[in-house]
């Protein structure tokens, strides 16, 4: 490793998943049964029940067993914004009631599973951090997420009728 011609070294290890241990590492297991919190929740564990989380991302594939459309995913939309294509203001278009609003990337589906996946595909072994929460999938584009601002507009205009209490935005930029 000390030779000048060696550029890098990689360990040849088997990839291990720590999904189940993540509940302990993040504190989710402790919070779910915390008596000071459960007492304010009629003695029930904290699960996200009664809360809608809007996942503003590439969309959500609600054909996944952990994210069933109509129960876990209460609605699934894709927003399209045509600003700059004509003079004046052009209202964003919303395609709603989609079972799969994440047909290309899968990132939003992954995020939705981390947030509120039921664990149905793994006999409840793996699941989201708040499996009692309901999800609103808002697809704002694929790799580019060009329509994020229109996605925020959609979420803000539906916060009451969809009972949106949390918005998850798991995207970023390179900083360049």
């Amino acid at each position: 490793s000390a030779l000048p011609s060696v550029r890098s070294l990689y360990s040849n290890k088997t990839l291990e998943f720590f999904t189940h241990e993540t509940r302990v590492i993040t504190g989710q297991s402790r919070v779910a049964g915390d008596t000071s919190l459960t007492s304010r929740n009629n003695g029930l564990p904290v699960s996200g029940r009664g809360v809608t989380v809007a996942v503003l991302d590439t969309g959500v594939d609600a054909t996944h067993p952990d994210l069933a459309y109509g129960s876990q995913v209460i609605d699934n939309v894709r927003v399209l914004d045509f600003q700059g294509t004509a003079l004046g203001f052009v209202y964003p278009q919303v395609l709603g009631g989609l079972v799969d609003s994440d047909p290309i990337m899968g990132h939003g589906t992954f995020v939705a599973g981390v947030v509120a996946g039921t664990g149905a595909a793994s006999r409840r072994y793996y699941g989201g951090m708040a499996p009692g929460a309901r999800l609103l999938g808002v697809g704002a584009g694929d790799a580019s997420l060009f329509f994020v601002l229109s996605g925020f507009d959609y979420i803000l205009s539906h916060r009451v009728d969809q009972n949106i209490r949390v918005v998850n935005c798991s995207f970023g930029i390179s900083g360049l």
Side-chain angles (χ1 to χ4, degrees):
S1 67
L3 294 173
S5 61
V6 175
R7 295 177 69 186
S8 62
L9 295 173
Y10 296 94
S11 177
N12 188 12
K13 291 184 176 181
T14 302
L15 178 64
E16 295 181 55
F17 293 105
F18 295 105
T19 306
H20 196 67
E21 291 84 0
T22 300
R23 295 180 187 288
V24 175
I25 294 168
T26 62
Q28 189 264 358
S29 298
R30 183 177 40 80
V31 168
D34 184 299
T35 54
S36 67
L37 296 173
T38 57
S39 65
R40 292 186 283 171
N41 197 31
N42 296 324
L44 298 170
V46 178
S47 69
R49 186 176 54 92
V51 173
T52 300
V53 178
V55 177
L56 178 57
D57 209 296
T58 60
V60 174
D61 180 358
T63 65
H64 190 288
D66 286 5
L67 304 168
Y69 187 81
S71 57
Q72 201 64 13
V73 177
I74 59 168
D75 200 2
N76 213 0
V77 302
R78 282 186 66 91
V79 292
L80 306 166
D81 191 336
F82 299 104
Q83 293 303 318
T85 61
L87 292 175
F89 182 80
V90 179
Y91 283 94
Q93 300 297 305
V94 177
L95 305 172
L98 303 173
V99 175
D100 183 1
S101 64
D102 192 10
I104 297 173
M105 297 300 293
H107 186 268
T109 301
F110 166 75
V111 169
V114 170
V115 171
T118 63
S122 62
R123 296 186 195 141
R124 307 282 183 249
Y125 185 73
Y126 298 118
M129 293 301 197
R134 299 294 173 247
L135 297 165
L136 168 64
V138 182
D142 297 312
S144 64
L145 294 177
F146 280 131
F147 312 124
V148 166
L149 293 179
S150 293
F152 277 119
D153 287 342
Y154 180 85
I155 291 166
L156 289 171
S157 64
H158 289 82
R159 70 187 183 285
V160 174
D161 62 282
Q162 297 282 11
N163 189 33
I164 300 168
R165 304 282 302 277
V166 178
V167 179
N168 185 91
C169 302
S170 294
F171 48 82
I173 59 171
S174 66
L176 299 175

